[in-house]
Amino acid sequence: MMDKADLYRSLKEYVVPEGTIVPCGQRKHCFYAVGGEELSEAEALLAQPFPAELRQFYLEVGYGYLGNDDPDFRNQLMHPLEIAKLKLGLDFYGNMYQEDFEYYTSDSVFPFFDLGGEADYLVIQLDGDCAGNIFYCGRAIASSFQDFVEKMCAQTDYFIGKDD
C-alpha cells in the first residue's frame, strides 16, 4: 500500500485552482477544494462526524471526480453537503425506492461516492467486523478508504470485475 501522504500529494495536481475553469473531462481526476467550514456544516446537519479517512481526504485533496476517464460511471466523490442531503433524505434523495432509502440513511453505512446510476452509491461500512471497508452492491471492494482510492487510481472500474 502506498504511503497516504504520497498518494494524496499525487492527487493534489488534479485540484482545480479556485476561480479557474478547467475542462475536467480531459483529466483522469478532477477535484475541488473543500473548506473545513463546509465539512463542519455537513457534520452538524448529520449530528455525526464523517469517517476519519474520508474527512482527511476532503481537507487535503477535496471532492470531485476520481476516475473521470471512465465513460460508464460518474465516479464522483460527493461534496460533504450532498452526503448530508442524501443521509437526511432531502431534495430528490427523498424520492428513492424505500429499500434504497433505508439502506443509505441507516447508521451502519456512510454513502460517499456517486456512480451515476439511480441510487447507485458506494458506502463506507461504519460498524461490525467490516467497519471501514468500502462496499458496492453489498460486497466489500476495498479494505479502507485509502485502499479504495489506490485501486481507483489503478483501474476505475475494478469493483465491477470488468476486464480491460
Side-chain angles (χ1 to χ4, degrees), residues 89-138:
L90 301 176
D91 296 339
F92 64 88
Y93 297 111
N95 295 324
M96 280 188 230
Y97 287 112
Q98 189 63 31
E99 185 178 324
D100 291 335
F101 182 74
E102 288 173 3
Y103 176 67
Y104 292 123
T105 60
S106 76
D107 291 336
S108 62
V109 299
F110 198 89
F112 72 99
F113 199 78
D114 184 353
L115 293 171
E118 187 172 324
D120 202 6
Y121 305 97
L122 301 183
V123 298
I124 299 171
Q125 183 70 34
L126 296 178
D127 58 11
D129 292 340
C130 296
N133 286 5
I134 308 302
F135 278 79
Y136 172 62
C137 294

Tab-separated table of all heavy atoms in Angstrom, residues 89-138:
chain	number	residue	atom	x	y	z
A	89	GLY	N	-32.322	12.464	3.448
A	89	GLY	CA	-33.442	12.317	2.517
A	89	GLY	C	-33.983	13.637	2.006
A	89	GLY	O	-35.168	13.747	1.696
A	90	LEU	N	-33.115	14.629	1.879
A	90	LEU	CA	-33.537	15.947	1.409
A	90	LEU	C	-33.463	16.034	-0.109
A	90	LEU	O	-32.764	15.269	-0.764
A	90	LEU	CB	-32.657	17.032	2.037
A	90	LEU	CG	-32.648	17.086	3.561
A	90	LEU	CD1	-31.652	18.132	4.049
A	90	LEU	CD2	-34.038	17.359	4.101
A	91	ASP	N	-34.161	17.016	-0.663
A	91	ASP	CA	-34.214	17.244	-2.101
A	91	ASP	C	-34.668	15.967	-2.806
A	91	ASP	O	-35.516	15.258	-2.293
A	91	ASP	CB	-32.864	17.746	-2.632
A	91	ASP	CG	-32.481	19.113	-2.062
A	91	ASP	OD1	-33.380	19.834	-1.596
A	91	ASP	OD2	-31.297	19.458	-2.087
A	92	PHE	N	-34.078	15.656	-3.939
A	92	PHE	CA	-34.527	14.487	-4.707
A	92	PHE	C	-34.137	13.169	-4.060
A	92	PHE	O	-34.655	12.119	-4.439
A	92	PHE	CB	-34.024	14.549	-6.155
A	92	PHE	CG	-32.533	14.493	-6.292
A	92	PHE	CD1	-31.870	13.281	-6.379
A	92	PHE	CD2	-31.801	15.664	-6.355
A	92	PHE	CE1	-30.492	13.229	-6.515
A	92	PHE	CE2	-30.425	15.632	-6.488
A	92	PHE	CZ	-29.768	14.407	-6.567
A	93	TYR	N	-33.260	13.191	-3.068
A	93	TYR	CA	-32.858	11.953	-2.397
A	93	TYR	C	-34.035	11.301	-1.660
A	93	TYR	O	-34.035	10.096	-1.437
A	93	TYR	CB	-31.705	12.197	-1.420
A	93	TYR	CG	-30.447	12.667	-2.099
A	93	TYR	CD1	-29.978	13.964	-1.916
A	93	TYR	CD2	-29.720	11.826	-2.939
A	93	TYR	CE1	-28.813	14.402	-2.533
A	93	TYR	CE2	-28.562	12.256	-3.560
A	93	TYR	CZ	-28.117	13.535	-3.355
A	93	TYR	OH	-26.970	13.968	-3.975
A	94	GLY	N	-35.024	12.074	-1.299
A	94	GLY	CA	-36.188	11.526	-0.626
A	94	GLY	C	-37.101	10.729	-1.546
A	94	GLY	O	-38.041	10.081	-1.078
A	95	ASN	N	-36.817	10.757	-2.838
A	95	ASN	CA	-37.649	10.045	-3.811
A	95	ASN	C	-37.109	8.665	-4.180
A	95	ASN	O	-37.583	8.056	-5.126
A	95	ASN	CB	-37.796	10.878	-5.087
A	95	ASN	CG	-38.552	12.156	-4.828
A	95	ASN	OD1	-39.474	12.179	-4.023
A	95	ASN	ND2	-38.148	13.223	-5.480
A	96	MET	N	-36.128	8.172	-3.453
A	96	MET	CA	-35.569	6.851	-3.733
A	96	MET	C	-36.567	5.761	-3.382
A	96	MET	O	-37.471	5.973	-2.575
A	96	MET	CB	-34.330	6.602	-2.856
A	96	MET	CG	-33.074	7.212	-3.316
A	96	MET	SD	-31.731	6.588	-2.275
A	96	MET	CE	-30.959	8.102	-1.820
A	97	TYR	N	-36.331	4.584	-3.963
A	97	TYR	CA	-37.100	3.420	-3.532
A	97	TYR	C	-36.876	3.247	-2.031
A	97	TYR	O	-35.780	3.485	-1.522
A	97	TYR	CB	-36.635	2.159	-4.255
A	97	TYR	CG	-37.055	2.099	-5.694
A	97	TYR	CD1	-36.109	2.193	-6.714
A	97	TYR	CD2	-38.398	1.949	-6.038
A	97	TYR	CE1	-36.489	2.138	-8.044
A	97	TYR	CE2	-38.785	1.900	-7.360
A	97	TYR	CZ	-37.834	1.987	-8.359
A	97	TYR	OH	-38.217	1.942	-9.674
A	98	GLN	N	-37.899	2.829	-1.336
A	98	GLN	CA	-37.841	2.724	0.124
A	98	GLN	C	-36.656	1.872	0.597
A	98	GLN	O	-35.967	2.234	1.543
A	98	GLN	CB	-39.161	2.155	0.671
A	98	GLN	CG	-39.282	2.212	2.181
A	98	GLN	CD	-39.273	3.639	2.725
A	98	GLN	OE1	-39.735	4.575	2.072
A	98	GLN	NE2	-38.735	3.821	3.906
A	99	GLU	N	-36.423	0.761	-0.064
A	99	GLU	CA	-35.330	-0.137	0.336
A	99	GLU	C	-33.975	0.568	0.215
A	99	GLU	O	-33.136	0.464	1.110
A	99	GLU	CB	-35.346	-1.399	-0.525
A	99	GLU	CG	-34.331	-2.426	-0.110
A	99	GLU	CD	-34.424	-3.687	-0.956
A	99	GLU	OE1	-35.541	-4.093	-1.340
A	99	GLU	OE2	-33.353	-4.261	-1.233
A	100	ASP	N	-33.756	1.288	-0.887
A	100	ASP	CA	-32.513	2.038	-1.069
A	100	ASP	C	-32.400	3.143	-0.031
A	100	ASP	O	-31.341	3.340	0.576
A	100	ASP	CB	-32.453	2.670	-2.468
A	100	ASP	CG	-32.303	1.653	-3.580
A	100	ASP	OD1	-31.788	0.546	-3.323
A	100	ASP	OD2	-32.720	1.966	-4.717
A	101	PHE	N	-33.497	3.860	0.169
A	101	PHE	CA	-33.506	4.959	1.134
A	101	PHE	C	-33.144	4.463	2.535
A	101	PHE	O	-32.310	5.055	3.214
A	101	PHE	CB	-34.885	5.634	1.140
A	101	PHE	CG	-34.966	6.812	2.065
A	101	PHE	CD1	-34.361	8.005	1.729
A	101	PHE	CD2	-35.632	6.721	3.278
A	101	PHE	CE1	-34.428	9.106	2.583
A	101	PHE	CE2	-35.705	7.803	4.128
A	101	PHE	CZ	-35.098	9.001	3.779
A	102	GLU	N	-33.737	3.372	2.954
A	102	GLU	CA	-33.459	2.815	4.283
A	102	GLU	C	-31.997	2.398	4.419
A	102	GLU	O	-31.392	2.573	5.473
A	102	GLU	CB	-34.388	1.639	4.578
A	102	GLU	CG	-35.818	2.080	4.830
A	102	GLU	CD	-36.800	0.920	4.955
A	102	GLU	OE1	-36.373	-0.258	4.904
A	102	GLU	OE2	-38.008	1.210	5.088
A	103	TYR	N	-31.450	1.842	3.352
A	103	TYR	CA	-30.045	1.406	3.386
A	103	TYR	C	-29.104	2.600	3.515
A	103	TYR	O	-28.262	2.647	4.413
A	103	TYR	CB	-29.723	0.591	2.130
A	103	TYR	CG	-28.274	0.179	2.027
A	103	TYR	CD1	-27.730	-0.725	2.931
A	103	TYR	CD2	-27.448	0.691	1.031
A	103	TYR	CE1	-26.395	-1.120	2.842
A	103	TYR	CE2	-26.126	0.307	0.930
A	103	TYR	CZ	-25.605	-0.598	1.838
A	103	TYR	OH	-24.287	-0.967	1.753
A	104	TYR	N	-29.231	3.580	2.636
A	104	TYR	CA	-28.304	4.714	2.625
A	104	TYR	C	-28.465	5.643	3.820
A	104	TYR	O	-27.539	6.368	4.169
A	104	TYR	CB	-28.434	5.509	1.322
A	104	TYR	CG	-27.954	4.740	0.120
A	104	TYR	CD1	-28.798	4.506	-0.959
A	104	TYR	CD2	-26.664	4.231	0.053
A	104	TYR	CE1	-28.368	3.793	-2.067
A	104	TYR	CE2	-26.223	3.520	-1.045
A	104	TYR	CZ	-27.080	3.300	-2.103
A	104	TYR	OH	-26.649	2.596	-3.197
A	105	THR	N	-29.624	5.639	4.444
A	105	THR	CA	-29.832	6.511	5.611
A	105	THR	C	-29.619	5.774	6.922
A	105	THR	O	-29.753	6.369	7.985
A	105	THR	CB	-31.243	7.139	5.584
A	105	THR	OG1	-32.226	6.098	5.592
A	105	THR	CG2	-31.417	8.034	4.361
A	106	SER	N	-29.279	4.494	6.865
A	106	SER	CA	-29.054	3.731	8.097
A	106	SER	C	-27.780	4.205	8.802
A	106	SER	O	-26.919	4.849	8.197
A	106	SER	CB	-28.956	2.232	7.788
A	106	SER	OG	-27.698	1.921	7.227
A	107	ASP	N	-27.668	3.857	10.067
A	107	ASP	CA	-26.492	4.231	10.855
A	107	ASP	C	-25.295	3.334	10.578
A	107	ASP	O	-24.201	3.605	11.054
A	107	ASP	CB	-26.817	4.182	12.353
A	107	ASP	CG	-27.786	5.267	12.765
A	107	ASP	OD1	-27.867	6.298	12.066
A	107	ASP	OD2	-28.472	5.079	13.791
A	108	SER	N	-25.484	2.260	9.815
A	108	SER	CA	-24.392	1.305	9.607
A	108	SER	C	-23.543	1.591	8.367
A	108	SER	O	-22.465	1.029	8.215
A	108	SER	CB	-24.939	-0.124	9.540
A	108	SER	OG	-25.808	-0.260	8.445
A	109	VAL	N	-24.026	2.467	7.477
A	109	VAL	CA	-23.243	2.790	6.276
A	109	VAL	C	-23.172	4.298	6.079
A	109	VAL	O	-24.013	5.040	6.568
A	109	VAL	CB	-23.816	2.125	5.003
A	109	VAL	CG1	-23.808	0.612	5.117
A	109	VAL	CG2	-25.193	2.642	4.661
A	110	PHE	N	-22.158	4.704	5.325
A	110	PHE	CA	-21.953	6.115	5.021
A	110	PHE	C	-21.710	6.256	3.516
A	110	PHE	O	-20.619	5.970	3.020
A	110	PHE	CB	-20.747	6.652	5.800
A	110	PHE	CG	-20.712	8.142	5.893
A	110	PHE	CD1	-21.351	8.790	6.941
A	110	PHE	CD2	-20.054	8.894	4.938
A	110	PHE	CE1	-21.319	10.178	7.027
A	110	PHE	CE2	-20.017	10.268	5.011
A	110	PHE	CZ	-20.658	10.914	6.063
A	111	PRO	N	-22.731	6.641	2.752
A	111	PRO	CA	-22.550	6.818	1.311
A	111	PRO	C	-21.622	8.003	1.046
A	111	PRO	O	-21.688	9.012	1.729
A	111	PRO	CB	-23.965	7.099	0.812
A	111	PRO	CG	-24.705	7.617	1.988
A	111	PRO	CD	-24.077	7.001	3.197
A	112	PHE	N	-20.747	7.844	0.040
A	112	PHE	CA	-19.789	8.915	-0.235
A	112	PHE	C	-19.426	9.046	-1.708
A	112	PHE	O	-18.831	10.031	-2.120
A	112	PHE	CB	-18.499	8.687	0.561
A	112	PHE	CG	-17.664	7.545	0.041
A	112	PHE	CD1	-16.580	7.780	-0.788
A	112	PHE	CD2	-17.966	6.231	0.362
A	112	PHE	CE1	-15.823	6.730	-1.295
A	112	PHE	CE2	-17.214	5.177	-0.118
A	112	PHE	CZ	-16.144	5.423	-0.958
A	113	PHE	N	-19.763	8.055	-2.523
A	113	PHE	CA	-19.273	8.014	-3.896
A	113	PHE	C	-20.426	7.714	-4.833
A	113	PHE	O	-21.066	6.671	-4.739
A	113	PHE	CB	-18.200	6.923	-4.008
A	113	PHE	CG	-17.299	7.060	-5.197
A	113	PHE	CD1	-16.264	7.975	-5.207
A	113	PHE	CD2	-17.474	6.252	-6.299
A	113	PHE	CE1	-15.416	8.088	-6.298
A	113	PHE	CE2	-16.630	6.344	-7.395
A	113	PHE	CZ	-15.602	7.261	-7.391
A	114	ASP	N	-20.707	8.639	-5.733
A	114	ASP	CA	-21.829	8.533	-6.657
A	114	ASP	C	-21.345	7.938	-7.973
A	114	ASP	O	-20.502	8.511	-8.658
A	114	ASP	CB	-22.407	9.934	-6.894
A	114	ASP	CG	-23.648	9.946	-7.762
A	114	ASP	OD1	-24.024	8.902	-8.322
A	114	ASP	OD2	-24.243	11.027	-7.880
A	115	LEU	N	-21.899	6.770	-8.316
A	115	LEU	CA	-21.526	6.103	-9.566
A	115	LEU	C	-22.318	6.615	-10.761
A	115	LEU	O	-21.986	6.326	-11.895
A	115	LEU	CB	-21.702	4.595	-9.427
A	115	LEU	CG	-20.744	3.944	-8.438
A	115	LEU	CD1	-21.134	2.498	-8.195
A	115	LEU	CD2	-19.315	4.045	-8.912
A	116	GLY	N	-23.394	7.354	-10.502
A	116	GLY	CA	-24.152	7.966	-11.577
A	116	GLY	C	-25.460	7.291	-11.908
A	116	GLY	O	-26.270	7.844	-12.629
A	117	GLY	N	-25.684	6.105	-11.399
A	117	GLY	CA	-26.957	5.441	-11.635
A	117	GLY	C	-27.980	5.895	-10.618
A	117	GLY	O	-27.687	6.667	-9.707
A	118	GLU	N	-29.189	5.422	-10.745
A	118	GLU	CA	-30.230	5.779	-9.783
A	118	GLU	C	-29.957	5.059	-8.464
A	118	GLU	O	-29.919	3.838	-8.404
A	118	GLU	CB	-31.600	5.378	-10.317
A	118	GLU	CG	-32.728	5.880	-9.450
A	118	GLU	CD	-34.076	5.635	-10.083
A	118	GLU	OE1	-34.193	5.728	-11.306
A	118	GLU	OE2	-35.009	5.342	-9.320
A	119	ALA	N	-29.723	5.817	-7.412
A	119	ALA	CA	-29.404	5.280	-6.088
A	119	ALA	C	-28.242	4.298	-6.156
A	119	ALA	O	-28.275	3.221	-5.585
A	119	ALA	CB	-30.632	4.643	-5.445
A	120	ASP	N	-27.189	4.688	-6.864
A	120	ASP	CA	-26.015	3.834	-7.055
A	120	ASP	C	-24.797	4.501	-6.418
A	120	ASP	O	-24.087	5.267	-7.070
A	120	ASP	CB	-25.803	3.612	-8.555
A	120	ASP	CG	-24.986	2.375	-8.862
A	120	ASP	OD1	-24.674	1.606	-7.937
A	120	ASP	OD2	-24.668	2.182	-10.044
A	121	TYR	N	-24.606	4.206	-5.134
A	121	TYR	CA	-23.541	4.830	-4.360
A	121	TYR	C	-22.666	3.774	-3.716
A	121	TYR	O	-23.149	2.705	-3.343
A	121	TYR	CB	-24.124	5.718	-3.248
A	121	TYR	CG	-25.079	6.757	-3.764
A	121	TYR	CD1	-26.450	6.537	-3.734
A	121	TYR	CD2	-24.610	7.944	-4.312
A	121	TYR	CE1	-27.340	7.481	-4.227
A	121	TYR	CE2	-25.495	8.896	-4.806
A	121	TYR	CZ	-26.857	8.655	-4.756
A	121	TYR	OH	-27.724	9.585	-5.255
A	122	LEU	N	-21.392	4.095	-3.565
A	122	LEU	CA	-20.511	3.269	-2.754
A	122	LEU	C	-20.629	3.778	-1.326
A	122	LEU	O	-20.883	4.965	-1.093
A	122	LEU	CB	-19.065	3.387	-3.228
A	122	LEU	CG	-18.778	2.987	-4.672
A	122	LEU	CD1	-17.288	3.090	-4.964
A	122	LEU	CD2	-19.293	1.597	-4.983
A	123	VAL	N	-20.446	2.866	-0.363
A	123	VAL	CA	-20.592	3.236	1.043
A	123	VAL	C	-19.391	2.752	1.847
A	123	VAL	O	-18.721	1.783	1.481
A	123	VAL	CB	-21.886	2.659	1.663
A	123	VAL	CG1	-23.118	3.193	0.962
A	123	VAL	CG2	-21.876	1.142	1.669
A	124	ILE	N	-19.162	3.434	2.956
A	124	ILE	CA	-18.194	3.002	3.956
A	124	ILE	C	-19.001	2.319	5.055
A	124	ILE	O	-19.966	2.897	5.576
A	124	ILE	CB	-17.417	4.195	4.546
A	124	ILE	CG1	-16.637	4.924	3.441
A	124	ILE	CG2	-16.482	3.728	5.669
A	124	ILE	CD1	-16.011	6.238	3.872
A	125	GLN	N	-18.620	1.094	5.396
A	125	GLN	CA	-19.280	0.378	6.489
A	125	GLN	C	-18.836	1.011	7.806
A	125	GLN	O	-17.642	1.216	8.021
A	125	GLN	CB	-18.904	-1.116	6.447
A	125	GLN	CG	-19.585	-1.941	7.498
A	125	GLN	CD	-21.079	-2.102	7.238
A	125	GLN	OE1	-21.522	-2.182	6.111
A	125	GLN	NE2	-21.850	-2.123	8.306
A	126	LEU	N	-19.773	1.338	8.665
A	126	LEU	CA	-19.449	2.047	9.906
A	126	LEU	C	-19.350	1.152	11.130
A	126	LEU	O	-18.843	1.583	12.162
A	126	LEU	CB	-20.481	3.149	10.165
A	126	LEU	CG	-20.527	4.267	9.125
A	126	LEU	CD1	-21.631	5.260	9.469
A	126	LEU	CD2	-19.183	4.963	9.012
A	127	ASP	N	-19.861	-0.071	11.047
A	127	ASP	CA	-19.855	-0.923	12.242
A	127	ASP	C	-19.563	-2.379	11.883
A	127	ASP	O	-19.472	-2.738	10.713
A	127	ASP	CB	-21.184	-0.806	12.992
A	127	ASP	CG	-22.390	-1.180	12.137
A	127	ASP	OD1	-22.218	-1.728	11.023
A	127	ASP	OD2	-23.515	-0.911	12.570
A	128	GLY	N	-19.395	-3.190	12.920
A	128	GLY	CA	-19.181	-4.618	12.726
A	128	GLY	C	-17.760	-4.971	12.320
A	128	GLY	O	-16.854	-4.141	12.351
A	129	ASP	N	-17.588	-6.215	11.918
A	129	ASP	CA	-16.274	-6.722	11.538
A	129	ASP	C	-15.707	-6.040	10.300
A	129	ASP	O	-14.496	-6.047	10.092
A	129	ASP	CB	-16.341	-8.234	11.274
A	129	ASP	CG	-16.612	-9.034	12.539
A	129	ASP	OD1	-16.372	-8.497	13.644
A	129	ASP	OD2	-17.065	-10.191	12.415
A	130	CYS	N	-16.562	-5.496	9.486
A	130	CYS	CA	-16.130	-4.862	8.239
A	130	CYS	C	-16.072	-3.342	8.338
A	130	CYS	O	-16.041	-2.655	7.311
A	130	CYS	CB	-17.066	-5.276	7.099
A	130	CYS	SG	-17.013	-7.032	6.728
A	131	ALA	N	-16.059	-2.802	9.526
A	131	ALA	CA	-16.021	-1.343	9.690
A	131	ALA	C	-14.824	-0.774	8.941
A	131	ALA	O	-13.709	-1.283	9.033
A	131	ALA	CB	-15.946	-0.978	11.169
A	132	GLY	N	-15.081	0.275	8.155
A	132	GLY	CA	-14.044	0.924	7.374
A	132	GLY	C	-13.931	0.401	5.954
A	132	GLY	O	-13.335	1.044	5.104
A	133	ASN	N	-14.507	-0.779	5.690
A	133	ASN	CA	-14.478	-1.328	4.332
A	133	ASN	C	-15.395	-0.529	3.419
A	133	ASN	O	-16.389	0.042	3.861
A	133	ASN	CB	-14.935	-2.785	4.316
A	133	ASN	CG	-13.904	-3.746	4.879
A	133	ASN	OD1	-12.867	-3.341	5.373
A	133	ASN	ND2	-14.195	-5.025	4.803
A	134	ILE	N	-15.080	-0.545	2.135
A	134	ILE	CA	-15.905	0.102	1.126
A	134	ILE	C	-16.743	-0.985	0.454
A	134	ILE	O	-16.215	-2.044	0.071
A	134	ILE	CB	-15.041	0.818	0.066
A	134	ILE	CG1	-14.010	1.755	0.720
A	134	ILE	CG2	-15.923	1.557	-0.945
A	134	ILE	CD1	-14.570	2.827	1.622
A	135	PHE	N	-18.050	-0.725	0.308
A	135	PHE	CA	-18.969	-1.708	-0.261
A	135	PHE	C	-19.636	-1.192	-1.525
A	135	PHE	O	-19.961	-0.011	-1.641
A	135	PHE	CB	-20.067	-2.053	0.754
A	135	PHE	CG	-19.637	-3.074	1.768
A	135	PHE	CD1	-18.858	-2.711	2.850
A	135	PHE	CD2	-20.010	-4.407	1.636
A	135	PHE	CE1	-18.456	-3.643	3.786
A	135	PHE	CE2	-19.614	-5.350	2.562
A	135	PHE	CZ	-18.830	-4.973	3.641
A	136	TYR	N	-19.847	-2.128	-2.447
A	136	TYR	CA	-20.602	-1.889	-3.676
A	136	TYR	C	-21.574	-3.052	-3.828
A	136	TYR	O	-21.157	-4.218	-3.841
A	136	TYR	CB	-19.662	-1.820	-4.878
A	136	TYR	CG	-20.361	-1.762	-6.215
A	136	TYR	CD1	-21.195	-0.694	-6.534
A	136	TYR	CD2	-20.185	-2.757	-7.160
A	136	TYR	CE1	-21.834	-0.621	-7.761
A	136	TYR	CE2	-20.823	-2.696	-8.398
A	136	TYR	CZ	-21.645	-1.629	-8.683
A	136	TYR	OH	-22.278	-1.568	-9.897
A	137	CYS	N	-22.842	-2.755	-3.900
A	137	CYS	CA	-23.880	-3.788	-4.057
A	137	CYS	C	-23.755	-4.895	-3.009
A	137	CYS	O	-23.866	-6.083	-3.324
A	137	CYS	CB	-23.834	-4.383	-5.459
A	137	CYS	SG	-24.270	-3.214	-6.752
A	138	GLY	N	-23.504	-4.500	-1.768
A	138	GLY	CA	-23.432	-5.458	-0.674
A	138	GLY	C	-22.152	-6.273	-0.607
A	138	GLY	O	-22.039	-7.186	0.200
